[in-house]
Amino acid sequence: MKRFFADLHIHIGRTKTNKAVKITGSRNLTLTNILDIAKNRKGLQIVGVIDCHSPEVIEEIEDLLNEGRLETLQDGGLLFEGETTLLMGSELEIYDLSCQGPLHVLCFLPTLETMKSFSEWLATQLKNIHLSSQRIYATGRELQRQVKVRDGLFIPAHVFTPFKSLYGKGVKRTLREVFDPKWIDAIELGLSSDTFMADELEELHHYPFVTNSDAHSLGKIAREYQKLSLNHASFNELKLALEKKHDRKITANFGLDPLLGKYHQTTCAKCFTLRTSDVTKCPNCGSSKVTKGVFERIRELANATEKPKRPPYIHQVPLEFIPGLGPKTMDKLLANFGTEMTIIHDTSFEDLTKIIPEKTSAFIIKARTGGLKLEAGGGGKYGRVKK
Ligand SMILES: [Zn+2]
Ligand SMILES: [Zn+2]
């Protein structure tokens, strides 16, 4: 088995004709740029692009196939320039009668044909098939069925975030309120939680956890990802890893320290002062509106008496959070060491200091072992590394 790095939640900002897909996504976040950056700058071997249902994105995939830059893999997925595998997915919003509020899910389809037929079905279920993360009229269970009849993978997205997520908004207590538990292939943790926190919920114990960037810009790709042990990078190999079959597996999750996530702590919805939701008014501005943090939501739902064995969850500080590491320094590092994965995981302190200041190098090395001091985020603001 070999080592592969995978980020399975990347949006598309614009199509090749500059049509918006994810409205809040950046303009240069096109399919071709994602593949290019993943391969040449990030050092990812697998990317899940989750706006592939959009008809112009499908056209772009067909163009890349015709140009020979993408090739169809026998067991699912498409290979970009012989190095990075594209998995085709779609993020959707469910808000059926059994939901307390809207929630997001990721659906992955094995082939271009199944993605096309899924997209055709979707077009009858939502207002605008060209856009990202659209609300569908179908129920959660019907969506699961549509994915499963096409041999796809179904993964609830960023499950604890206070807006548009399974536990943040969708259900009172259990995923059974909206989903058939046997048709869930994995759970995406989201930036403000980690394995240890999520295992407070007993019903999650038998699902694998995935950690992805939810990137809305090229720079944010791979701020979370997983290391996989596979024979090769394909849809079916990922499926086997999620099922822990034939020695395929997730060997580690790399995620932001939950403290750095935007929604870790409960905060005042108006002035962002940290507070708890059992106090009626914000001590700073007097507002009674709160954005409930992931930490507090998990505490409400916690019911597990023991924790299952999991791949290690490595708290990682993406390079953009490293103090003193601006775009110029980043360019220098990339020019010397190749990809971000190499800089984050493999480059020695000695080699780093040949290119950048000792202080910045020390931050990068400390980030590998969880040695940085952090300040918590909340209410939509990221946490930060203390200088
Ligand atoms: Zn989402
Ligand atoms: Zn997303």
Side-chain angles (χ1 to χ4, degrees), residues 101-156:
L103 67 101
H104 282 185
V105 296
L106 306 177
C107 307
F108 289 99
L109 284 302
T111 61
L112 184 58
E113 283 60 48
T114 45
M115 176 48 88
K116 277 184 179 170
S117 101
F118 184 66
S119 172
E120 278 161 25
W121 172 75
L122 274 182
T124 67
Q125 304 294 322
L126 45 74
K127 283 207 189 87
N128 190 340
I129 188 68
H130 296 279
L131 296 181
S132 170
S133 315
Q134 292 286 288
R135 182 174 297 174
I136 60 166
Y137 303 122
T139 64
R141 285 183 172 82
E142 174 59 11
L143 178 61
Q144 286 183 292
R145 203 183 67 77
Q146 292 289 339
V147 171
K148 287 297 150 187
V149 295
R150 293 173 176 85
D151 294 321
L153 296 170
F154 188 88
I155 303 175

Side-chain angles (χ1 to χ4, degrees), residues 87-107:
L87 301 180
M88 291 164 283
S90 176
E91 180 170 34
L92 294 159
E93 184 170 311
I94 298 166
Y95 195 178
D96 68 30
L97 289 172
S98 60
C99 295
Q100 307 298 312
L103 67 101
H104 282 185
V105 296
L106 306 177
C107 307

Side-chain angles (χ1 to χ4, degrees), residues 245-263:
K245 281 187 182 156
H246 309 303
D247 231 19
R248 275 73 168 171
K249 57 182 181 240
I250 299 172
T251 45
N253 293 98
F254 293 86
L256 282 188
D257 189 303
L259 288 173
L260 290 176
K262 281 198 278 191
Y263 299 109

Side-chain angles (χ1 to χ4, degrees), residues 9 11 22 50 91 104 133 158 214 216:
H9 189 150
H11 283 282
K22 180 98 191 164
I50 47 81
E91 180 170 34
H104 282 185
S133 315
H158 44 74
D214 199 351
H216 294 193

Side-chain angles (χ1 to χ4, degrees), residues 197-261:
M197 291 167 72
D199 274 331
E200 293 288 343
L201 280 70
E202 221 212 311
E203 68 176 355
L204 297 183
H205 287 188
H206 59 282
Y207 297 116
F209 290 157
V210 291
T211 39
N212 302 311
S213 69
D214 199 351
H216 294 193
S217 64
L218 291 170
K220 296 266 192 297
I221 294 173
R223 62 180 165 175
E224 299 211 342
Y225 51 92
Q226 37 269 306
K227 189 162 80 179
L228 301 165
S229 181
L230 310 172
N231 180 272
H232 56 277
S234 71
F235 181 91
N236 199 48
E237 286 282 321
L238 170 69
K239 186 164 182 273
L240 289 174
L242 297 179
E243 295 165 350
K244 288 191 243 171
K245 281 187 182 156
H246 309 303
D247 231 19
R248 275 73 168 171
K249 57 182 181 240
I250 299 172
T251 45
N253 293 98
F254 293 86
L256 282 188
D257 189 303
L259 288 173
L260 290 176

